[in-house]
Amino acid sequence: MSSSSPDSDNPAPGLLARLPSVDRVLATPALRELSMQYGQGQVTDTLRTVLDALRARVLAGAIGTEALDAQAGTEALAATVTQRLQAKFAPRLRAVFNLSGTVLHTNLGRALLPDDAVQAVVRALTTPANLEFDLATGGRGDRDDLIDELLRELTGAEAATVVNNNAAAVLLTLNALAAKKEVIVSRGELVEIGGAFRIPDIMKRAGATLVEVGTTNRTHAKDYAEGITPRTALLMKVHTSNYAVTGFTKSVPETEVAQIAHAPSAAHPQGLPLVVDLGSGTLVDLSRWGLPHEPTVRETIAAGADLVTFSGDKLLGGPQAGLIVGRKDLIARIKKNPLKRALRVGKLTLAALEPVLRLYLTPERLAERLTTLRLFTRPQAQMHAQAEALRPLLQTALGNAYAVESVPLFSQIGSGALPSDTLPSHGLRIRPMEAKRAGRQIIRLETALRQLPRPVIGRVADDSLWLDLRCLEAKDEADFTMQLLVLQTALNT
Ligand SMILES: *Cc1c(COP(=O)(O)O)cnc(C)c1O
């Protein structure tokens, strides 16, 4: 690189002298103002880094007099330092537009909290609260008590506890109930959930021995029965939430596995517990809103499950959490396990979870109050009207290199829920005009959208970029259209 520079053979000795001293730049009004905002240390360090880089380029003969003067002037340096500090102090966790078509997108943070929950989190963060303090007696409380009663009412279970996420709920349950013992799982349910959660791995980490029964596509009741040994601790069913085995298949329903588990035998006179990992368990029957039915936690308990584990931020629509509900004696053993302390939730989680659970007490108003359900149930006509209004604006921003169409499409619930069912939606399909360079043009557009002040995340398929408008609610639409000018500028430079 340096060899192509005109000055490379002879870095003028006078050049280094043209670099101002740190102190001189720091004394300028612009930098003094920056110091007020970001602190003297940050400004000095950043300025030093910028000057060092310029010095290195001078020594390498990689910069000429003119370029150096342009970059080493006090105004230019102030601008560079400002830009770097702004970037450094800008939050890394940023609001984006999720137009991917997947409502519960794990990489985009899954469920969005309703207002009540947000207010409760703010309150819990800024004022002391009775997290583990029994207001009735003045004694020490148990943080699970904050949600225990609600979860019992909503699921019909005898007791409940909460940990950091559902993976933690499964790990803790297995460790508390099955360490050094065997756990029977159907081969058809040895799932991997995105992000390295695999039932066999969790089982190992929990110290339990996995006993696989049946085959990938078919597992019969007798497979479970024959898998039981004196070392069996429990039978487990895993909701195969993110894929469907279709064709010649058989799985054994919870009621039947529960009967097999509970049957007393010589080795297990009390029978064995059935644990169900429901994954994205929901607390209400979604078919009430025309959505596909997912087994509810209550149904699973009623079917005979002794414990059910599920996520807080999937279909439930709350904060990240892992909920365990079921038999009182088993929950007591789980709560006594030292891992419970390691995996416990913080007050933010509990503050958010409690109001979300309370919304379920009034299911008739749930679709308007619970953000995720509101998104799932948005009528297609709404997204259609939005697409018609946004199409010409986007077309103007993109110019004639792309064609924007308003198209019907299907959203997904996401997070492994209901993999084969989709929600009729509407959105925008953007296609490059020049077929030859379509691939590159799509990448260019996808990148430009991702680099907007509030990044827009779409989906690339069939040489097109698709923007599903289901998750663009009216309150965010102005934010979206305001950025179109930025997009236009980005694509034209
Ligand atoms: C999502 C899921 C998990 C993991 O839950 P997290 O809350 O993401 O930890 C475990 N099991 C099943 C069946 C799931 O669907």
Side-chain angles (χ1 to χ4, degrees):
M1 180 181 152
S2 59
S3 61
S4 65
S5 160
D7 299 296
S8 62
D9 297 325
N10 179 21
L15 267 188
L16 275 185
R18 303 178 90 90
L19 278 174
S21 72
V22 170
D23 286 342
R24 207 180 95 212
V25 186
L26 281 179
T28 62
L31 274 274
R32 285 226 295 270
E33 200 167 300
L34 272 187
S35 295
M36 303 275 280
Q37 193 177 349
Y38 295 107
Q40 180 93 42
Q42 288 293 336
V43 174
T44 311
D45 287 353
T46 310
L47 175 62
R48 213 165 252 141
T49 311
V50 173
L51 286 171
D52 284 350
L54 280 174
R55 186 170 302 112
R57 290 180 65 200
V58 169
L59 291 175
I63 189 166
T65 314
E66 227 167 276
L68 180 65
D69 283 350
Q71 291 172 46
T74 44
E75 248 170 64
L77 285 171
T80 309
V81 171
T82 305
Q83 200 180 25
R84 293 207 180 182
L85 285 172
Q86 274 172 350
K88 181 173 179 179
F89 279 79
R92 292 294 180 272
L93 184 65
R94 288 165 61 195
V96 304
F97 285 103
N98 172 14
L99 306 191
S100 66
T102 301
V103 180
L104 294 172
H105 197 304
T106 296
N107 306 139
L108 301 180
R110 291 193 187 161
L112 303 174
L113 290 185
D115 264 356
D116 282 359
V118 174
Q119 294 315 315
V121 171
V122 171
R123 225 171 18 250
L125 277 178
T126 50
T127 57
N130 60 326
L131 179 65
E132 284 186 349
F133 186 86
D134 187 337
L135 291 174
T137 65
R140 192 196 157 119
D142 174 346
R143 60 183 71 198
D144 282 338
D145 288 349
L146 298 169
I147 43 76
D148 177 77
E149 193 180 326
L150 269 168
L151 275 170
R152 282 190 284 126
E153 172 163 356
L154 294 169
T155 65
E158 290 171 6
T161 184
V162 194
V163 287
N164 184 57
N165 55 26
N166 188 36
V170 175
L171 175 72
L172 173 60
T173 301
L174 291 172
N175 184 258
L177 306 183
K180 302 203 177 88
K181 293 198 177 150
E182 296 172 355
V183 175
I184 299 176
V185 187
S186 158
R187 287 203 171 83
E189 297 173 1
L190 293 175
V191 299
E192 170 179 320
I193 315 292
F197 175 87
R198 289 174 166 190
I199 290 292
D201 295 342
I202 294 278
M203 197 74 76
K204 213 174 287 163
R205 293 288 166 152
T209 305
L210 170 66
V211 176
E212 304 173 22
V213 299
T215 60
T216 308
N217 59 331
R218 289 173 72 85
T219 299
H220 303 270
K222 72 169 174 25
D223 294 325
Y224 283 99
E226 287 167 4
I228 297 176
T229 74
R231 295 176 46 77
T232 306
L234 56 91
L235 276 59
M236 184 176 186
K237 271 189 77 72
V238 182
H239 188 52
T240 54
S241 45
N242 56 357
Y243 73 104
V245 180
T246 54
F248 184 59
T249 63
K250 164 143 177 67
S251 66
V252 187
E254 270 85 5
T255 38
E256 249 181 276
V257 184
Q259 275 168 17
I260 295 164
H262 298 160
S265 63
H268 305 287
Q270 312 291 317
L272 292 163
L274 168 64
V275 172
V276 178
D277 175 18
L278 209 46
S280 76
T282 171
L283 297 172
V284 278
D285 181 358
L286 295 173
S287 62
R288 180 181 184 137
W289 294 278
L291 296 166
H293 178 81
E294 268 280 284
T296 67
V297 180
R298 179 182 290 281
E299 284 164 4
T300 311
I301 292 284
D306 299 280
L307 286 175
V308 181
T309 65
F310 53 105
S311 293
D313 56 353
K314 291 183 178 174
L315 284 177
L316 192 120
Q320 177 187 306
L323 297 93
I324 313 172
V325 303
R327 252 168 57 192
K328 202 174 174 144
D329 60 323
L330 299 178
I331 294 284
R333 278 169 67 189
I334 286 171
K335 289 175 74 151
K336 277 214 282 290
N337 187 287
L339 272 182
K340 164 69 162 94
R341 173 62 179 80
L343 302 172
R344 78 176 181 192
V345 291
K347 61 181 175 180
L348 278 74
T349 305
L350 285 162
L353 185 58
E354 188 193 344
V356 168
L357 291 175
R358 195 161 280 119
L359 292 182
Y360 282 89
L361 295 176
T362 317
E364 50 275 48
R365 299 205 48 199
L366 201 59
E368 65 191 272
R369 290 171 167 176
L370 189 69
T371 312
T372 44
L373 190 58
R374 189 171 72 227
L375 292 172
F376 293 147
T377 54
R378 265 189 90 190
Q380 191 184 22
Q382 251 182 40
M383 283 82 85
H384 189 172
Q386 244 180 331
E388 295 298 324
L390 290 175
R391 195 206 63 78
L393 303 179
L394 194 60
Q395 183 67 73
T396 305
L398 297 182
N400 47 23
Y402 300 90
V404 186
E405 272 175 278
S406 147
V407 288
L409 36 77
F410 288 96
S411 322
Q412 295 182 4
I413 288 188
S415 274
L418 310 161
S420 44
D421 294 297
T422 41
L423 314 167
S425 185
H426 209 96
L428 298 163
R429 176 182 191 171
I430 308 165
R431 258 187 290 206
M433 293 301 273
E434 246 188 281
K436 247 188 11 248
R437 302 174 49 218
R440 248 188 305 151
Q441 289 288 75
I442 286 297
I443 291 171
R444 182 152 182 262
L445 176 62
E446 187 268 338
T447 310
L449 286 168
R450 213 167 1 91
Q451 287 171 353
L452 287 170
R454 180 168 166 187
V456 174
I457 313 298
R459 188 164 53 86
V460 174
D462 302 328
D463 271 341
S464 306
L465 189 105
W466 305 76
L467 302 178
D468 184 331
L469 297 178
R470 176 177 299 277
C471 296
L472 182 65
E473 290 200 281
K475 67 177 167 63
D476 292 324
E477 219 181 279
D479 265 8
F480 179 82
T481 47
M482 258 167 17
Q483 292 197 127
L484 291 177
L485 204 60
V486 184
L487 179 65
Q488 185 167 3
T489 315
L491 287 171
N492 286 325
T493 49

